[in-house]
Amino acid sequence: MKKCMIILNPSSGKEQALEYKDQMLKQLHNFDVVVKETKKEGDATQFARLACDEQYDAVVLVGGDGTLNEGINGIAEQPHRPIVGIVPLGTVNDFARALKIPLEPAEAITLLGGATRKADIGKVNNHYFTNVVAIGSIADAVGDVSVAQKTSLGSLAYLVEGVKAAVQNEAFEIQVEANDTDYLEETMLFLCVLTDSVGSFKAINEEADASDGLLHGFIIKNSNVLQAVGIAKNLLTGNYEDDDNIIKFDASEMIVKANKPLTLNVDGDLIGEVPATISILHNHLEFFVQG
């Protein structure tokens, strides 16, 4: 019988994750299923790595983008990589959106054990990601959003903290090497995006696909508060072709440097600092999706 490991974050989905356990077991009746509950940071990575070592056929990650990121980091480097199922219970669930996995957990569970597709993942220095690397005070503020804030405010928590940071307008000088081109700019935010969903906004990068083999870079130039409002509107609606304050480019690798120490926001968590080398692993993992 095929083997499946369910890695479940009991604090996700406003602490409702365990309510879906029986439905998952019923859906995966053709698998020998083991359930692992995370208790601390890093548990999902260790459990996923164990599933690879023990040649599991599938791993189901139940939680938000943080749980997904941890699980992917346990699988990405392994010679045996199980098919990955996603039951989204987070605040944003960008990667699930990009793969067109239903955001209603009960609906997402019905996909487990069914049709699959391959998708890209990214690597920044020694860490893997599924959706975005962000650099700047706005990214730092969003990465500092607490579990309590996310539970009470949902995605609004990210917006609140992001606006606070934008008003402070802490700029930095960034250098990005991509496609034999050097971009040197005074900026307030840098984004490297894999998919067409960024913070649940799909218009930002709507031409992207989860298996297009490309990193999509955005440099948001430094500006005053009034200009920042217009830039944000253009970015979120995808109407930035004529906005000189937004530089967009695609590449398979980006090397990022800055004139001061800056933290990397990787899929919503603060991990490492610049300088950073960001690369794409094309169609590296297989996921359960709608048929």
PDB file of all heavy atoms in Angstrom, residues 93-116:
ATOM      1  N   ASN A  93      -2.275  32.143   1.624  1.00  0.00           N
ATOM      2  CA  ASN A  93      -2.276  30.920   0.805  1.00  0.00           C
ATOM      3  C   ASN A  93      -1.959  31.200  -0.668  1.00  0.00           C
ATOM      4  O   ASN A  93      -2.639  30.710  -1.576  1.00  0.00           O
ATOM      5  CB  ASN A  93      -3.628  30.204   0.917  1.00  0.00           C
ATOM      6  CG  ASN A  93      -4.009  29.879   2.342  1.00  0.00           C
ATOM      7  OD1 ASN A  93      -3.257  29.230   3.060  1.00  0.00           O
ATOM      8  ND2 ASN A  93      -5.164  30.345   2.764  1.00  0.00           N
ATOM      9  N   ASP A  94      -0.904  31.965  -0.912  1.00  0.00           N
ATOM     10  CA  ASP A  94      -0.577  32.372  -2.281  1.00  0.00           C
ATOM     11  C   ASP A  94      -0.280  31.198  -3.205  1.00  0.00           C
ATOM     12  O   ASP A  94      -0.727  31.171  -4.351  1.00  0.00           O
ATOM     13  CB  ASP A  94       0.625  33.329  -2.275  1.00  0.00           C
ATOM     14  CG  ASP A  94       0.222  34.773  -2.056  1.00  0.00           C
ATOM     15  OD1 ASP A  94      -0.806  35.178  -2.607  1.00  0.00           O
ATOM     16  OD2 ASP A  94       0.937  35.487  -1.338  1.00  0.00           O
ATOM     17  N   PHE A  95       0.495  30.224  -2.739  1.00  0.00           N
ATOM     18  CA  PHE A  95       0.890  29.143  -3.635  1.00  0.00           C
ATOM     19  C   PHE A  95      -0.309  28.273  -3.997  1.00  0.00           C
ATOM     20  O   PHE A  95      -0.436  27.809  -5.130  1.00  0.00           O
ATOM     21  CB  PHE A  95       2.002  28.307  -3.000  1.00  0.00           C
ATOM     22  CG  PHE A  95       2.704  27.399  -3.973  1.00  0.00           C
ATOM     23  CD1 PHE A  95       3.407  27.935  -5.052  1.00  0.00           C
ATOM     24  CD2 PHE A  95       2.673  26.030  -3.829  1.00  0.00           C
ATOM     25  CE1 PHE A  95       4.060  27.103  -5.970  1.00  0.00           C
ATOM     26  CE2 PHE A  95       3.324  25.196  -4.728  1.00  0.00           C
ATOM     27  CZ  PHE A  95       4.014  25.736  -5.803  1.00  0.00           C
ATOM     28  N   ALA A  96      -1.199  28.054  -3.036  1.00  0.00           N
ATOM     29  CA  ALA A  96      -2.428  27.310  -3.331  1.00  0.00           C
ATOM     30  C   ALA A  96      -3.246  28.051  -4.387  1.00  0.00           C
ATOM     31  O   ALA A  96      -3.799  27.431  -5.311  1.00  0.00           O
ATOM     32  CB  ALA A  96      -3.248  27.120  -2.057  1.00  0.00           C
ATOM     33  N   ARG A  97      -3.333  29.360  -4.271  1.00  0.00           N
ATOM     34  CA  ARG A  97      -4.047  30.157  -5.281  1.00  0.00           C
ATOM     35  C   ARG A  97      -3.418  29.958  -6.655  1.00  0.00           C
ATOM     36  O   ARG A  97      -4.112  29.799  -7.653  1.00  0.00           O
ATOM     37  CB  ARG A  97      -4.003  31.637  -4.911  1.00  0.00           C
ATOM     38  CG  ARG A  97      -4.809  32.036  -3.686  1.00  0.00           C
ATOM     39  CD  ARG A  97      -4.558  33.499  -3.335  1.00  0.00           C
ATOM     40  NE  ARG A  97      -5.125  33.862  -2.055  1.00  0.00           N
ATOM     41  CZ  ARG A  97      -6.362  34.326  -1.880  1.00  0.00           C
ATOM     42  NH1 ARG A  97      -7.153  34.499  -2.931  1.00  0.00           N
ATOM     43  NH2 ARG A  97      -6.815  34.629  -0.680  1.00  0.00           N
ATOM     44  N   ALA A  98      -2.089  29.984  -6.693  1.00  0.00           N
ATOM     45  CA  ALA A  98      -1.384  29.879  -7.975  1.00  0.00           C
ATOM     46  C   ALA A  98      -1.624  28.523  -8.632  1.00  0.00           C
ATOM     47  O   ALA A  98      -1.683  28.426  -9.866  1.00  0.00           O
ATOM     48  CB  ALA A  98       0.115  30.109  -7.765  1.00  0.00           C
ATOM     49  N   LEU A  99      -1.756  27.470  -7.819  1.00  0.00           N
ATOM     50  CA  LEU A  99      -2.005  26.132  -8.357  1.00  0.00           C
ATOM     51  C   LEU A  99      -3.497  25.853  -8.548  1.00  0.00           C
ATOM     52  O   LEU A  99      -3.881  24.747  -8.925  1.00  0.00           O
ATOM     53  CB  LEU A  99      -1.405  25.075  -7.436  1.00  0.00           C
ATOM     54  CG  LEU A  99       0.117  25.037  -7.333  1.00  0.00           C
ATOM     55  CD1 LEU A  99       0.560  23.931  -6.383  1.00  0.00           C
ATOM     56  CD2 LEU A  99       0.769  24.843  -8.694  1.00  0.00           C
ATOM     57  N   LYS A 100      -4.315  26.880  -8.260  1.00  0.00           N
ATOM     58  CA  LYS A 100      -5.780  26.767  -8.385  1.00  0.00           C
ATOM     59  C   LYS A 100      -6.354  25.677  -7.477  1.00  0.00           C
ATOM     60  O   LYS A 100      -7.332  25.008  -7.812  1.00  0.00           O
ATOM     61  CB  LYS A 100      -6.187  26.557  -9.844  1.00  0.00           C
ATOM     62  CG  LYS A 100      -5.802  27.722 -10.748  1.00  0.00           C
ATOM     63  CD  LYS A 100      -6.195  27.500 -12.192  1.00  0.00           C
ATOM     64  CE  LYS A 100      -5.927  28.738 -13.044  1.00  0.00           C
ATOM     65  NZ  LYS A 100      -4.525  29.204 -12.995  1.00  0.00           N
ATOM     66  N   ILE A 101      -5.719  25.515  -6.327  1.00  0.00           N
ATOM     67  CA  ILE A 101      -6.239  24.633  -5.286  1.00  0.00           C
ATOM     68  C   ILE A 101      -7.310  25.403  -4.521  1.00  0.00           C
ATOM     69  O   ILE A 101      -7.093  26.551  -4.132  1.00  0.00           O
ATOM     70  CB  ILE A 101      -5.111  24.180  -4.346  1.00  0.00           C
ATOM     71  CG1 ILE A 101      -4.129  23.271  -5.104  1.00  0.00           C
ATOM     72  CG2 ILE A 101      -5.658  23.469  -3.119  1.00  0.00           C
ATOM     73  CD1 ILE A 101      -2.867  22.954  -4.334  1.00  0.00           C
ATOM     74  N   PRO A 102      -8.490  24.834  -4.308  1.00  0.00           N
ATOM     75  CA  PRO A 102      -9.543  25.561  -3.582  1.00  0.00           C
ATOM     76  C   PRO A 102      -9.060  26.045  -2.224  1.00  0.00           C
ATOM     77  O   PRO A 102      -8.346  25.337  -1.512  1.00  0.00           O
ATOM     78  CB  PRO A 102     -10.652  24.511  -3.432  1.00  0.00           C
ATOM     79  CG  PRO A 102     -10.413  23.535  -4.535  1.00  0.00           C
ATOM     80  CD  PRO A 102      -8.924  23.480  -4.717  1.00  0.00           C
ATOM     81  N   LEU A 103      -9.451  27.272  -1.859  1.00  0.00           N
ATOM     82  CA  LEU A 103      -9.042  27.828  -0.577  1.00  0.00           C
ATOM     83  C   LEU A 103      -9.937  27.339   0.557  1.00  0.00           C
ATOM     84  O   LEU A 103      -9.598  27.530   1.731  1.00  0.00           O
ATOM     85  CB  LEU A 103      -9.050  29.353  -0.641  1.00  0.00           C
ATOM     86  CG  LEU A 103      -8.110  29.967  -1.685  1.00  0.00           C
ATOM     87  CD1 LEU A 103      -8.099  31.481  -1.563  1.00  0.00           C
ATOM     88  CD2 LEU A 103      -6.696  29.412  -1.556  1.00  0.00           C
ATOM     89  N   GLU A 104     -11.065  26.739   0.220  1.00  0.00           N
ATOM     90  CA  GLU A 104     -11.909  26.100   1.222  1.00  0.00           C
ATOM     91  C   GLU A 104     -11.273  24.744   1.554  1.00  0.00           C
ATOM     92  O   GLU A 104     -11.168  23.869   0.681  1.00  0.00           O
ATOM     93  CB  GLU A 104     -13.321  25.917   0.690  1.00  0.00           C
ATOM     94  CG  GLU A 104     -14.223  25.068   1.547  1.00  0.00           C
ATOM     95  CD  GLU A 104     -14.324  25.548   2.981  1.00  0.00           C
ATOM     96  OE1 GLU A 104     -14.541  26.761   3.180  1.00  0.00           O
ATOM     97  OE2 GLU A 104     -14.151  24.705   3.891  1.00  0.00           O
ATOM     98  N   PRO A 105     -10.812  24.544   2.787  1.00  0.00           N
ATOM     99  CA  PRO A 105     -10.087  23.313   3.127  1.00  0.00           C
ATOM    100  C   PRO A 105     -10.818  22.029   2.761  1.00  0.00           C
ATOM    101  O   PRO A 105     -10.209  21.085   2.247  1.00  0.00           O
ATOM    102  CB  PRO A 105      -9.882  23.436   4.637  1.00  0.00           C
ATOM    103  CG  PRO A 105      -9.895  24.903   4.904  1.00  0.00           C
ATOM    104  CD  PRO A 105     -10.874  25.475   3.931  1.00  0.00           C
ATOM    105  N   ALA A 106     -12.110  21.977   3.007  1.00  0.00           N
ATOM    106  CA  ALA A 106     -12.862  20.755   2.708  1.00  0.00           C
ATOM    107  C   ALA A 106     -12.822  20.430   1.217  1.00  0.00           C
ATOM    108  O   ALA A 106     -12.774  19.255   0.827  1.00  0.00           O
ATOM    109  CB  ALA A 106     -14.309  20.909   3.175  1.00  0.00           C
ATOM    110  N   GLU A 107     -12.834  21.452   0.368  1.00  0.00           N
ATOM    111  CA  GLU A 107     -12.747  21.236  -1.082  1.00  0.00           C
ATOM    112  C   GLU A 107     -11.337  20.816  -1.478  1.00  0.00           C
ATOM    113  O   GLU A 107     -11.154  19.948  -2.339  1.00  0.00           O
ATOM    114  CB  GLU A 107     -13.157  22.501  -1.826  1.00  0.00           C
ATOM    115  CG  GLU A 107     -14.615  22.882  -1.688  1.00  0.00           C
ATOM    116  CD  GLU A 107     -14.952  24.117  -2.489  1.00  0.00           C
ATOM    117  OE1 GLU A 107     -14.330  24.340  -3.545  1.00  0.00           O
ATOM    118  OE2 GLU A 107     -15.824  24.877  -2.043  1.00  0.00           O
ATOM    119  N   ALA A 108     -10.324  21.447  -0.867  1.00  0.00           N
ATOM    120  CA  ALA A 108      -8.933  21.101  -1.183  1.00  0.00           C
ATOM    121  C   ALA A 108      -8.644  19.646  -0.839  1.00  0.00           C
ATOM    122  O   ALA A 108      -7.897  18.963  -1.553  1.00  0.00           O
ATOM    123  CB  ALA A 108      -7.984  22.031  -0.427  1.00  0.00           C
ATOM    124  N   ILE A 109      -9.234  19.152   0.224  1.00  0.00           N
ATOM    125  CA  ILE A 109      -9.000  17.766   0.647  1.00  0.00           C
ATOM    126  C   ILE A 109      -9.471  16.779  -0.417  1.00  0.00           C
ATOM    127  O   ILE A 109      -8.876  15.709  -0.597  1.00  0.00           O
ATOM    128  CB  ILE A 109      -9.692  17.507   2.000  1.00  0.00           C
ATOM    129  CG1 ILE A 109      -8.944  18.275   3.115  1.00  0.00           C
ATOM    130  CG2 ILE A 109      -9.725  16.011   2.333  1.00  0.00           C
ATOM    131  CD1 ILE A 109      -9.676  18.299   4.442  1.00  0.00           C
ATOM    132  N   THR A 110     -10.524  17.131  -1.166  1.00  0.00           N
ATOM    133  CA  THR A 110     -11.042  16.212  -2.188  1.00  0.00           C
ATOM    134  C   THR A 110     -10.056  15.999  -3.327  1.00  0.00           C
ATOM    135  O   THR A 110     -10.228  15.075  -4.126  1.00  0.00           O
ATOM    136  CB  THR A 110     -12.371  16.720  -2.772  1.00  0.00           C
ATOM    137  OG1 THR A 110     -12.148  17.948  -3.491  1.00  0.00           O
ATOM    138  CG2 THR A 110     -13.399  16.952  -1.681  1.00  0.00           C
ATOM    139  N   LEU A 111      -9.004  16.826  -3.431  1.00  0.00           N
ATOM    140  CA  LEU A 111      -7.998  16.665  -4.487  1.00  0.00           C
ATOM    141  C   LEU A 111      -6.909  15.670  -4.111  1.00  0.00           C
ATOM    142  O   LEU A 111      -6.173  15.189  -4.983  1.00  0.00           O
ATOM    143  CB  LEU A 111      -7.341  18.011  -4.803  1.00  0.00           C
ATOM    144  CG  LEU A 111      -8.246  19.203  -5.132  1.00  0.00           C
ATOM    145  CD1 LEU A 111      -7.396  20.410  -5.502  1.00  0.00           C
ATOM    146  CD2 LEU A 111      -9.210  18.865  -6.250  1.00  0.00           C
ATOM    147  N   LEU A 112      -6.790  15.367  -2.841  1.00  0.00           N
ATOM    148  CA  LEU A 112      -5.682  14.523  -2.366  1.00  0.00           C
ATOM    149  C   LEU A 112      -5.778  13.121  -2.957  1.00  0.00           C
ATOM    150  O   LEU A 112      -6.834  12.490  -2.929  1.00  0.00           O
ATOM    151  CB  LEU A 112      -5.685  14.452  -0.840  1.00  0.00           C
ATOM    152  CG  LEU A 112      -5.570  15.789  -0.103  1.00  0.00           C
ATOM    153  CD1 LEU A 112      -5.620  15.573   1.406  1.00  0.00           C
ATOM    154  CD2 LEU A 112      -4.294  16.525  -0.508  1.00  0.00           C
ATOM    155  N   GLY A 113      -4.662  12.654  -3.496  1.00  0.00           N
ATOM    156  CA  GLY A 113      -4.620  11.331  -4.106  1.00  0.00           C
ATOM    157  C   GLY A 113      -5.079  11.298  -5.542  1.00  0.00           C
ATOM    158  O   GLY A 113      -5.100  10.229  -6.169  1.00  0.00           O
ATOM    159  N   GLY A 114      -5.417  12.467  -6.094  1.00  0.00           N
ATOM    160  CA  GLY A 114      -5.929  12.530  -7.463  1.00  0.00           C
ATOM    161  C   GLY A 114      -4.917  13.046  -8.467  1.00  0.00           C
ATOM    162  O   GLY A 114      -3.748  12.647  -8.449  1.00  0.00           O
ATOM    163  N   ALA A 115      -5.375  13.938  -9.352  1.00  0.00           N
ATOM    164  CA  ALA A 115      -4.542  14.481 -10.426  1.00  0.00           C
ATOM    165  C   ALA A 115      -3.359  15.264  -9.863  1.00  0.00           C
ATOM    166  O   ALA A 115      -3.421  15.825  -8.754  1.00  0.00           O
ATOM    167  CB  ALA A 115      -5.370  15.377 -11.333  1.00  0.00           C
ATOM    168  N   THR A 116      -2.267  15.313 -10.626  1.00  0.00           N
ATOM    169  CA  THR A 116      -1.070  16.032 -10.189  1.00  0.00           C
ATOM    170  C   THR A 116      -0.544  16.930 -11.302  1.00  0.00           C
ATOM    171  O   THR A 116      -0.881  16.767 -12.470  1.00  0.00           O
ATOM    172  CB  THR A 116       0.051  15.057  -9.783  1.00  0.00           C
ATOM    173  OG1 THR A 116       0.500  14.333 -10.936  1.00  0.00           O
ATOM    174  CG2 THR A 116      -0.417  14.094  -8.712  1.00  0.00           C
TER     175      THR A 116
END
